[in-house]
Amino acid sequence: MEQALARPASSSGYPATALSLLACLAIAFPTLIAFNLSPSATFFNQSAAFIGWGGFLLVLGAGLAQQARPRSRGSLALLASILILVVAALGASLLAAAPWSLSLSSAGTLLSAFLVVAIGACVARAGLGLPAFRAFCIGLVVAGIASSAIGLVQVMAPHLPDGDWIAQASIPGRATGNLRQPNHLSSLLLWSVVAVVWLGEARVIYREIAWMLALLFIEVIVLSASRTGLLGMAALMGWGLFDRRLSRATRILLLASPLAYLLLWGLTSLWSHQSGMAFGGEQRLSGSGLYVSYSRYKIWWNSLALIAQHPWFGVGFGEFNFAWTLTPFPDRPVAFFDHAHNLMLQFAVELGIPLALLLVGLMGYALWQAMRCAVDDGRESGARFSTLSGKTEGPPEPAAGPAPAMPMQRAAFVMVVMVATHSLLEYPLWYSYFLLPAAFAFGLCLERPDPRDRALAAADLGNVTRPWVLASMALILGATLALWDYMRVVIIFAPPATAAPLDKRIADGRRSILFAHHADYAAATVIEHPSQVMKAFERAPHFLLDARLMLAWAKALDEAGETDKARYVAARLKEFHNDQADEFFAACDPANIAAARAAAPASSASAPAPLPFQCSAPTKPLSYRDFK
């Protein structure tokens, strides 16, 4: 594969082998990290994605002219939407009570996506999209092959995963990969199917090998039993239906992908019965399991109720969990949701309807422009501009390497559609190893090659002071510093033998720039009298309010004399029916109250002890805003 890539390196302006290796580090490596340290199960994966993408963008930016910039209306619309979100993230701390550690983290992630979109668009405009996309697809295929191997081991040899190199499947009988979530694995493998099909059509690898790998990826999607994977079959079928530049055999394969999925499902089910091994998909995608879960419907209805309560300005960027948890919902889902599980609902809940409509409008317009570019890609890429041969006139030259007229933007657009569909049911874009590849694919879709930009890029080679190069360096540096900053809180939860006392580790962690809220959580939940660390509750609840933190917060408020607020928090906790709170609410059982009063000294019989605070409702109306 690398030999096929090396031939056009000089004409494209990029070192093909190095670019492919960097793409693997940016795309594949983050998806393969199983090792993690508390408090985050995915931080190392996400940090690796930021650093890897910084390196990949560094090489791409070095091939662009100093004055290169996105110019199409679609690119500008998408970049404007990201900048609005950056302003909203910072405004949540400037104008409201959101912790700076969370706002800075969100703003940094969004700015990284901005950089990836911008460089992707510039690369496409400069006519360098094909070599960049080829490396991008190689990274996705490597990720797919490795993740498929991990998924097969998790289902067919569940005793082998050790948790450090291969993650143990969180759900027996279902493949989760080292991303630890079936829907994440299925979305990654759907991208891998698109990538390997494109590589086969572009003659980077043999088509027959591409088809076999595509079937392997579909089989592991079956093993994940993800409903997202099932929906993805429709996207593959649509690609085969509408893209007539694909070869006849490849179109047939894509059109038959739902049938292949069902056939592989049947064979896997038969294997499961014959071998006695568990196949979690039989229950997952049969009967009621085929539909969206009831909890998902509940969180959507709760989100709509929050939108109705705060239609103009929302509850604040990043404040969904805080506002939802502290708003009465007697029929709420019992899991502690921190997202609305729908991107448009998330915008509307947190930012209000007007701003959400603006964002959805800008992104929708960008998606429309991407589709237009994808439709035109096959017509124009070969006849008007050959990116691999460097010619600005005439048809492409097949001898220069993979077929330059092979539509790149169509495949990239299918990837964008897939992750956009997933974002209507989950929140994959909150993970950098999905956000950054999606941003790059989107950026590639939004610009058409312009010979003038290609000429400028060629004339400017060797200038390492280009803005995009410097920005890529800043991304690498920022991600590396974030990794160092994270280790300041890791030592709280996983201390070495020579670690300082817990209170000292917590105090140091609370000085973290990006992760102080984790230290606050530890401070609030390990102390006997949480009112002694009331400051910790200014940040920790804004990250994720769970049962343990709500218990500590209610007790702290009661100890501090704010009994009504303590009762309100306790009432919200009771709605979750969480096992961790059973003992806390056991004091409210009538039999236990009677027993406590019977055991009281006789002198106090005329004045029964008051009920514990968690057994009474607050005496005045409160809302989540009273806790900011």
Side-chain angles (χ1 to χ4, degrees), residues 12-100:
S12 69
Y14 291 133
T17 301
L19 195 64
S20 300
L21 290 174
L22 286 170
C24 290
L25 289 175
I27 299 166
F29 182 63
T31 67
L32 303 178
I33 300 175
F35 179 75
N36 64 87
L37 292 172
S38 295
S40 172
T42 63
F43 179 79
F44 290 152
N45 306 75
Q46 301 204 62
S47 180
F50 284 121
I51 295 173
W53 272 95
F56 186 53
L57 297 178
L58 186 64
V59 175
L60 292 178
L64 298 173
Q66 186 163 348
Q67 56 268 61
R69 61 180 177 84
R71 301 182 187 181
S72 72
R73 292 178 180 178
S75 296
L76 297 177
L78 181 59
L79 294 172
S81 67
I82 297 174
L83 287 180
I84 290 172
L85 289 171
V86 172
V87 173
L90 297 176
S93 292
L94 283 170
L95 305 176
W100 275 108

Side-chain angles (χ1 to χ4, degrees), residues 56 129 217 274 281 332 377 417 443 457 577 581:
F56 186 53
F217 299 154
Q274 293 293 329
R332 71 168 75 242
D377 187 27
V417 169
H577 306 286

Side-chain angles (χ1 to χ4, degrees), residues 184-356:
H184 283 194
L185 176 62
S186 68
S187 285
L188 174 66
L189 293 178
L190 286 170
W191 276 354
S192 298
V193 171
V194 177
V196 79
V197 166
W198 187 89
L199 289 174
E201 290 297 289
R203 309 288 170 76
V204 177
I205 60 176
Y206 290 113
R207 283 177 179 166
E208 293 78 8
I209 295 177
W211 299 337
M212 288 188 290
L213 287 174
L215 290 174
L216 169 65
F217 299 154
I218 293 175
E219 165 59 15
V220 182
I221 292 172
V222 168
L223 293 178
S224 76
S226 168
R227 291 172 293 224
T228 303
L230 181 58
L231 287 175
M233 296 302 110
L236 293 175
M237 184 173 65
W239 186 25
L241 180 65
F242 293 108
D243 191 352
R244 297 188 177 183
R245 293 300 298 266
L246 297 170
S247 66
R248 179 183 178 87
T250 296
R251 291 188 71 193
I252 292 174
L253 174 68
L254 292 172
L255 287 169
S257 54
L259 294 177
Y261 182 95
L262 294 175
L263 177 62
L264 291 170
W265 179 279
L267 292 175
T268 303
S269 180
L270 180 63
W271 162 82
S272 173
H273 294 158
Q274 293 293 329
S275 66
M277 300 296 292
F279 173 41
E282 288 193 311
Q283 180 179 0
R284 173 70 169 174
L285 296 183
S286 62
S288 60
L290 184 62
Y291 305 103
V292 176
S293 67
Y294 186 48
S295 292
R296 192 68 47 79
Y297 285 124
K298 281 187 174 182
I299 196 63
W300 287 343
W301 282 112
N302 290 171
S303 298
L304 290 171
L306 282 174
I307 294 169
Q309 294 172 25
H310 312 281
W312 298 111
F313 301 105
V315 300
F317 185 95
E319 294 285 74
F320 174 82
N321 171 260
F322 184 83
W324 172 70
T325 305
L326 293 178
T327 298
F329 287 113
D331 62 340
R332 71 168 75 242
V334 296
F336 290 92
F337 282 83
D338 53 356
H339 296 82
H341 284 65
N342 180 286
L343 187 62
M344 291 186 288
L345 285 179
Q346 186 82 15
F347 287 159
V349 169
E350 294 190 346
L351 304 177
I353 295 175
L355 194 53

